[in-house]
Amino acid sequence: MSSFIDVKYINLCSSLLDKFKQKQTNLWNFRCPLCGDSKKHKNKCRGFIYEKRNKYFYRCHNCSVGTNFSRFLEKISPALHKDYTTEYYKENAWGKKDVGSSLPKFDFVPKFNNVLGGMASISTLAQDHPARQYLQKRLIPERYFRNLYLCKEFKKWTNTILPNKFSSLSLEHDAPRLVIPFLDRKHNIIGYQGRSFNPKEQAKYITIKMEGVENLIYGEERVNIKKKIYCVEGPLDSLFLPNCLAIAGLNFKGVKISNVIVLDNERRNVQIADALNKVITNGYSVCIWPDSVKEKDINEMIINGKTTDDIVEIIDNNTYSGLEANFQLSQWKRC
Ligand SMILES: [Zn+2]
């Protein structure tokens, strides 16, 4: 058993909890969803999740309910609770009997985990909302809409998290952006990307890294590290492939050597060719797109009618390393 499963699910159910706030490393506070908390005072928050001897409990100081976290989760979201018990079962099935000795070192950094509070996830927007339609047009799978957000004033909001990140001059040209949160394996927020909705905007993506974060990799909370992992250039592209991470820009810091690197199919882009050269030299396996693929990225392939299976097959049939990768890269650049 490990407490990081509990902490993960506390973060996962936070969007269901009104005025959710992490007070300390092992203490969370919000309005009690069971009794509805104070009717008169909408800001009163008397529900608490707390830790005691590596176990997590819920208590409300309004209705006096006291229970363990599992039963609380079951009450507020049977679906999440099902995932939670499955995950617990799997963790135990791996043979971790002794609670005390198997606990990972607790290095949870709670400071940034409430930053998405109050922002609308795309899944809550009306069907005809432009932000939702933007994702629909790109054929992004709907199941990811709840993990993507709309921020109406991206720079102003970023300045509330990282003060003075944007100058007051640039705040005058603030605009809505799609927010793509980056989470680590424990579901801590380590950064995010803001994607512009305006095709004429110069800065298509703005990437923000939280203080103290070393490697900014997208999708770590989802991948199965026991299976083959792909790593692509864009977070949105990664949503089309199974077990796929994305980097922000062409920075491979922290990407495991076992990952298959899949960059965009832009043969004239010097930065991409240089990046491929570098990762090949460093020993990674890379996908060198065959000449038959004309699209410049995975999203375009999907829009042109290729399926996830088609794309995985192309990648798997065109993955190279070492000298062979160098040779294929030189051919690819020539076309
Ligand atoms: Zn209550």
Side-chain angles (χ1 to χ4, degrees):
M1 274 190 231
S2 55
S3 59
F4 82 83
I5 296 180
D6 293 81
V7 174
K8 171 179 165 182
Y9 280 86
I10 291 167
N11 282 317
L12 279 177
C13 73
S14 66
S15 62
L16 305 169
L17 299 167
D18 200 13
K19 300 227 161 6
F20 178 90
K21 245 199 174 67
Q22 181 156 22
K23 305 281 249 192
Q24 294 165 24
T25 304
N26 278 327
L27 182 68
W28 296 262
N29 176 226
F30 41 85
R31 282 172 69 74
C32 175
L34 307 178
C35 66
D37 225 304
S38 170
K39 301 280 169 294
K40 262 202 249 155
H41 301 106
K42 295 289 176 215
N43 287 323
K44 276 235 158 114
C45 299
R46 284 175 292 192
F48 290 89
I49 293 173
Y50 59 97
E51 177 257 1
K52 212 173 172 183
R53 290 194 203 99
N54 296 320
K55 289 197 161 67
Y56 289 76
F57 298 91
Y58 176 72
R59 176 165 292 279
C60 169
H61 295 303
N62 190 40
C63 63
S64 303
V65 158
T67 182
N68 61 33
F69 173 67
S70 173
R71 286 213 192 94
F72 171 74
L73 185 63
E74 192 176 14
K75 277 207 173 110
I76 62 164
S77 171
L80 268 181
H81 182 256
K82 208 174 147 234
D83 295 349
Y84 170 84
T85 46
T86 311
E87 207 161 317
Y88 244 98
Y89 174 77
K90 269 198 224 144
E91 187 75 10
N92 286 333
W94 282 99
K96 290 186 180 166
K97 285 160 237 111
D98 186 38
V99 177
S101 67
S102 66
L103 269 175
K105 203 168 163 278
F106 214 68
D107 57 351
F108 188 67
V109 185
K111 194 174 152 203
F112 298 110
N113 281 348
N114 296 319
V115 299
L116 298 170
M119 219 186 300
S121 90
I122 303 298
S123 60
T124 66
L125 301 177
Q127 288 294 333
D128 61 350
H129 191 287
R132 193 183 179 113
Q133 290 203 330
Y134 169 79
L135 292 181
Q136 272 164 348
K137 272 192 201 122
R138 292 187 62 166
L139 301 179
I140 307 291
E142 290 241 2
R143 63 178 182 281
Y144 294 116
F145 285 14
R146 70 187 176 102
N147 304 323
L148 300 166
Y149 296 80
L150 170 66
C151 182
K152 291 190 177 145
E153 294 171 301
F154 182 80
K155 292 178 180 174
K156 197 174 153 195
W157 169 66
T158 295
N159 274 3
T160 67
I161 299 157
L162 301 172
N164 303 319
K165 180 79 189 173
F166 294 103
S167 69
S168 42
L169 187 69
S170 81
L171 287 183
E172 285 172 26
H173 306 282
D174 212 349
R177 278 179 183 260
L178 176 75
V179 172
I180 307 167
F182 285 48
L183 308 180
D184 67 9
R185 296 195 65 76
K186 294 179 189 169
H187 288 244
N188 290 311
I189 293 178
I190 53 172
Y192 54 88
Q193 247 182 6
R195 171 68 163 89
S196 168
F197 292 109
N198 178 0
K200 286 184 193 126
E201 167 71 53
Q202 293 242 312
K204 245 187 354 180
Y205 286 96
I206 298 178
T207 305
I208 304 290
K209 191 160 87 170
M210 297 309 195
E211 264 167 44
V213 170
E214 263 190 65
N215 308 319
L216 201 54
I217 300 172
Y218 177 76
E220 294 246 63
E221 82 284 9
R222 266 185 278 117
V223 295
N224 180 346
I225 51 171
K226 297 189 182 81
K227 287 187 180 162
K228 184 199 257 186
I229 295 175
Y230 300 97
C231 182
V232 300
E233 256 186 89
L236 293 179
D237 277 341
S238 78
L239 302 177
F240 296 108
L241 296 185
N243 222 31
C244 188
L245 299 170
I247 45 171
L250 290 170
N251 182 356
F252 296 90
K253 227 176 131 224
V255 175
K256 296 236 159 52
I257 194 80
S258 55
N259 291 8
V260 176
I261 309 294
V262 183
L263 301 187
D264 288 351
N265 188 27
E266 291 181 46
R267 294 160 193 258
R268 304 258 173 264
N269 188 322
V270 182
Q271 280 97 342
I272 291 182
D274 286 350
L276 280 169
N277 214 347
K278 208 174 105 190
V279 289
I280 293 167
T281 306
N282 288 336
Y284 289 89
S285 295
V286 298
C287 166
I288 306 289
W289 297 104
D291 295 347
S292 57
V293 174
K294 302 296 176 204
E295 294 90 347
K296 70 173 185 348
D297 60 36
I298 290 168
N299 201 167
E300 215 175 280
M301 295 173 205
I302 293 279
I303 289 169
N304 281 351
K306 286 195 174 72
T307 65
T308 288
D309 286 349
D310 296 339
I311 298 170
V312 167
E313 198 184 318
I314 295 171
I315 294 171
D316 288 348
N317 287 334
N318 294 279
T319 298
Y320 306 96
S321 61
L323 288 176
E324 202 185 359
N326 284 326
F327 174 73
Q328 293 294 340
L329 175 61
S330 67
Q331 296 297 308
W332 179 76
K333 281 195 292 191
R334 223 173 272 170
C335 290

